[in-house]
Amino acid sequence: MDFKKVMVAGSGVLGSQIAFQTAFFGYDVNVYDINNDAINAAKERFAKLKEVYAEYFNDADKAKAAYGRLSFSTDIAEAVADADLMIEAVPEVVNIKQDFYQKLAPVAPDKTIFASNSSTMLPSQFAEFTGRPEKFLALHFANSIWKNNTAEVMGHAGTDAQYTEQVIEFARSIGMIPFLVKKEQPGYILNSLLVPFLNAGLSLWAKDIADPHTIDKNWMISTGAPHGPFAILDIVGMETPYNLNVAKSDLDPTYKAIAEKLKTEMIDQGKMGQSTGEGFYKYPNPAFLEPDFLKQN
Ligand code: NAD
């Protein structure tokens, strides 16, 4: 692997983090977004990330240098020119992604490997639109990439293993711990475990089998885990589980009951989780961190 230039497409929550992480580890990064408003919003994110990285890595000079390695473009051909790798973090909407790959494919150099950061979609859904299915795969990061440094790498049936290897090597070179997902799997490794786990907790709550703190406490005492499902839901926020359960509402009444309860008891009350100071727990001193939490019930 001898990558030097990386294009990051979409400079929202994850795209800006991926771009900054990549620049922090020495690559030249071209950040592509649809218009100047989006680029300006990204610049504000990068200014904040510069502070976050300076503090987290205790290296203000390196964070400043990373900022200097970012360039910005609203012209897709300019953004991908000479890129060794393109990492896509555009919205999680099939048509937007498909359209993006169809525009990118004809203007990208042959050498450019395309990687998607999609959380819920599969590379095989877009391979035909990339014009280079053998050089296309998923490279999935977690939010707060600098500390939650996993990179799930997952090809589709037509991905050439040599490019998968190169992307794994790249991920390692930017401080990630890469995890190869050997076959296409919706949700990769992490969300294949986490989503059913969180929904199992929500289902016990929606069916009024036990309350959230009791469920967490049981899980924590029984397994030694530092968090139960509801403490994790407070980190994730209520939006994603709500949308997921709404989408499945027709399949099973439990999904519907979960969605309704999340809406009326959490979202409508402004209890979105850690981000709003209250979810299933109150922050900054949630009950599950209190010394007595695990000593009695
Ligand atoms: P976001 O809404 O914060 O950012 C999306 C960005 O894409 C915006 O800057 C928007 O202007 C831009 N955009 C819109 N249309 C575009 C186009 N046609 N071409 C280029 N840019 C375009 O979204 P996000 O949360 O950063 O998610 C982006 C991707 O990352 C999704 O696929 C999502 O599944 C994945 N992801 C998100 C998270 C997360 O925690 N937010 C975690 C892992 C993966």
Coordinates of all heavy atoms in Angstrom, one line a residue, residues 10 173 244:
G10 N -18.6 13.8 1.5 CA -19.5 14.0 2.6 C -18.8 14.4 3.8 O -17.9 13.7 4.3
S173 N -2.8 2.3 9.3 CA -1.8 3.4 9.2 C -2.4 4.7 9.8 O -1.7 5.6 10.0 CB -1.4 3.6 7.8 OG -2.4 4.2 7.0
L244 N -35.5 2.7 13.7 CA -35.4 1.3 13.4 C -36.7 0.5 13.8 O -37.2 -0.3 13.0 CB -34.2 0.8 14.2 CG -33.6 -0.5 13.8 CD1 -32.1 -0.4 13.9 CD2 -34.1 -1.6 14.7

